[in-house]
Amino acid sequence: MNKNLLIIFFIAGLLAFFPISCDIKSPIEGISVKVKNIPRTTSIRVEFLDQNAKTLVSTPITLKFGGRNKNDVITDVNQPISQMTVRDGIAYFAIKDNIIPTAENPVEVILIVQSSQYLSTSSKLLITKTGSNSFVVNLLKPPVNPNIPAPAGITANEQSFGNIATSAGTTVNIVANSGGNIRSILTVPSGTILRDANGNALSGNVRTQITYFDATSRSAIPSFPGGFSVNTNTSGNGAFVTAGFSAINMFVNDTPVESFSRPVSVQIQVNPNTRNPITGTTVRPGDQIPMWSYNESTGTWNFEGNYTLQSSIGPDGKQVLFVEKSDVTHLSYWNLDWYFNACYLSSKIKFVGGCWDLLYWYIEYENGQGFLGSGSVFSNDPEIVFLNAPSNTPVRILAFESFSDLINYYYNRNQSLLRGSLLVQNLCAGTTQTFNLQVNTQSSGQTVNLTVRGRCPNGNILDQGTLDIEIFKNGFWQHAGRIINGQITLNCLQIGQTYNFRAYYNGQYYYREQQITSANMVIEIPLPGDIDFCN
């Protein structure tokens, strides 16, 4: 593994402010680095987390870009990009340098996430500032591996059978872990023709996946695609409070089914402990619940109508509550949610105290039936801004030192994993407010100021440019900061300890080990004499 990271830092990053565009041969392992007007004004780092395994996703993901600013997405070397393959669970990209995001005018990018091993989803990123930005997207793998159980309240089932067009009516049942007989049911009438994205009839072996999410399970809620701060086709931006949802996927010889020749039926059952925010009580037969379907390419929820909550007696003799839609013509996330207006530029949360470079945060409704989002925040920019917060909805902001702590908290609500918790009754209480969340971390150490510069054989000093770097801490790679004109400040380091650093550049990571010997260090990197700057 290449240990000479900072040499590459200078060649690939710190030369960036100079008006050149050339291939520079690195003296390290013959690597050829293309320098093209770096740094990026606004950089994005997205972690994709496997909710089953509680780790970063290790298999390839296809990531496509949509949203208002999809044409402003570029690579870290200034190349336009409409999609990318993500490996090792972390994606890096940037926004065109002439686009300056603000809270008043945020950059909107929709991540459309597809994988052969995970439920497809999308997530809307609202980017409100220049510099480094970090986000988290949760992914779920169906069917559930029996050796890696899903979070409580999520059940996935896969069933294969012959060609539906020549078979009897087919019913696929799902039973949720946390709700007894609560389930999602897909009914496909005999003789139904399955069609692909172009409307072509499909024939062959049919494979169906159904995943059910119980609204009363706090560990199921984070899988909701895009979060509960939503955009709808009827009312624009707002917020959902959920009664449960289901993801249905069908394949014929591994080709996704997109539509049907005749309507099929989808039944979504509702946990009787679900609270109706309109009535203020648990749900009852006769309640009206809106149903929505999800457009992954736009991140928009489409209103399907208000449906009456029905009841029947289950096999165990207990009452079953359900909503049924009998005229389904396409597959989607099917979602039962009450819609509420949201306020724009509502509030800020500032994380104060503790010793940390980066914290992970998660914001859930106090009643457990939704969440505002999750992500991470840097110590040099410890505020997050809410652009579309639900009115009169109590929320709890939670802070964690690692993403593994965050995911583990989904499972068992272990309070010892929390590094901070704050209840806010109403993020929409008039003028923009700032709420301070006190952080109590387990990390210790001190602030270290580094001066990083390159020295040519002829004595020229290179200390210009910007590059994001990561540090390996608490068992995972996390954002450490930015080298800006040769300067970077790192937090919570132990003097005398050696740390591993890395940087992502042009599709590749570069690594370096560095011992921290004092609180103010100068690191000089010898540069090769044959580069333009040294000549």
Side-chain angles (χ1 to χ4, degrees), residues 442-485:
Q442 293 185 330
S443 299
S444 62
Q446 66 184 84
T447 299
V448 174
N449 299 304
L450 298 181
T451 298
V452 187
R453 61 194 184 200
R455 180 180 292 274
C456 299
N458 63 7
N460 286 354
I461 295 295
L462 178 59
D463 59 1
Q464 300 293 304
T466 300
L467 192 67
D468 292 314
I469 66 170
E470 296 182 356
I471 186 172
F472 191 78
K473 270 186 165 185
N474 300 320
F476 68 104
W477 287 102
Q478 66 181 50
H479 183 271
R482 280 189 146 192
I483 300 176
I484 301 177
N485 295 340

Side-chain angles (χ1 to χ4, degrees), residues 291-310:
M291 181 181 282
W292 310 79
S293 62
Y294 193 55
N295 185 325
E296 293 171 3
S297 63
T298 64
T300 300
W301 287 96
N302 296 320
F303 179 60
E304 298 287 340
N306 290 307
Y307 285 77
T308 300
L309 189 62
Q310 304 178 56

Side-chain angles (χ1 to χ4, degrees), residues 114 194-198 200 202 207 249-259 331:
Q114 297 174 327
L194 310 182
R195 303 187 187 278
D196 64 15
N198 297 318
N200 300 315
L202 299 171
R207 179 166 54 93
N249 295 294
M250 297 184 74
F251 305 87
V252 177
N253 298 332
D254 294 326
T255 298
V257 175
E258 297 292 341
S259 62
L331 294 180

Side-chain angles (χ1 to χ4, degrees), residues 104-183:
E104 293 75 18
N105 187 28
V107 167
E108 177 195 287
V109 177
I110 294 173
L111 305 183
I112 303 163
V113 187
Q114 297 174 327
S115 167
S116 60
Q117 299 192 33
Y118 292 85
L119 287 178
S120 60
T121 188
S122 66
S123 180
K124 180 191 292 185
L125 308 185
L126 291 175
I127 302 156
T128 61
K129 62 182 179 63
T130 58
S132 303
N133 295 266
S134 186
F135 298 91
V136 174
V137 175
N138 296 311
L139 297 181
L140 189 72
K141 181 183 293 186
V144 175
N145 184 333
N147 298 318
I148 307 178
I154 300 177
T155 300
N157 187 33
E158 182 173 298
Q159 184 172 336
S160 297
F161 37 86
N163 194 336
I164 288 179
T166 58
S167 68
T170 303
T171 302
V172 181
N173 297 328
I174 293 294
V175 179
N177 294 333
S178 64
N181 291 322
I182 302 170
R183 59 190 181 183

Side-chain angles (χ1 to χ4, degrees), residues 367-529:
N367 69 3
Q369 289 176 221
F371 77 102
L372 278 185
S374 61
S376 55
V377 61
F378 308 129
S379 59
N380 63 350
D381 186 15
E383 286 188 350
I384 55 177
V385 181
F386 294 102
L387 300 184
N388 293 298
S391 300
N392 300 310
T393 301
V395 300
R396 186 170 293 276
I397 300 99
L398 308 174
F400 305 86
E401 276 190 272
S402 72
F403 68 77
S404 58
D405 286 351
L406 170 59
I407 294 182
N408 282 322
Y409 186 81
Y410 294 164
Y411 280 70
N412 52 33
R413 311 298 290 185
N414 184 347
Q415 298 296 314
S416 68
L417 300 175
L418 286 174
R419 298 295 169 254
S421 176
L422 177 67
L423 175 64
V424 178
Q425 292 294 334
N426 185 10
L427 289 171
C428 300
T431 58
T432 301
Q433 309 168 79
T434 298
F435 297 94
N436 290 331
L437 192 159
Q438 184 65 43
V439 176
N440 298 298
T441 57
Q442 293 185 330
S443 299
S444 62
Q446 66 184 84
T447 299
V448 174
N449 299 304
L450 298 181
T451 298
V452 187
R453 61 194 184 200
R455 180 180 292 274
C456 299
N458 63 7
N460 286 354
I461 295 295
L462 178 59
D463 59 1
Q464 300 293 304
T466 300
L467 192 67
D468 292 314
I469 66 170
E470 296 182 356
I471 186 172
F472 191 78
K473 270 186 165 185
N474 300 320
F476 68 104
W477 287 102
Q478 66 181 50
H479 183 271
R482 280 189 146 192
I483 300 176
I484 301 177
N485 295 340
Q487 305 295 316
I488 184 171
T489 298
L490 302 175
N491 296 315
C492 304
L493 299 187
Q494 301 287 341
I495 303 301
Q497 185 169 330
T498 297
Y499 293 90
N500 290 311
F501 297 90
R502 74 179 185 182
Y504 180 86
Y505 175 74
N506 200 17
Q508 185 172 347
Y509 284 110
Y510 298 94
Y511 296 80
R512 177 183 173 88
E513 271 186 359
Q514 179 66 51
Q515 185 181 30
I516 302 302
T517 58
S518 70
N520 295 282
M521 291 181 61
V522 177
I523 301 174
E524 281 205 350
I525 307 299
L527 298 179

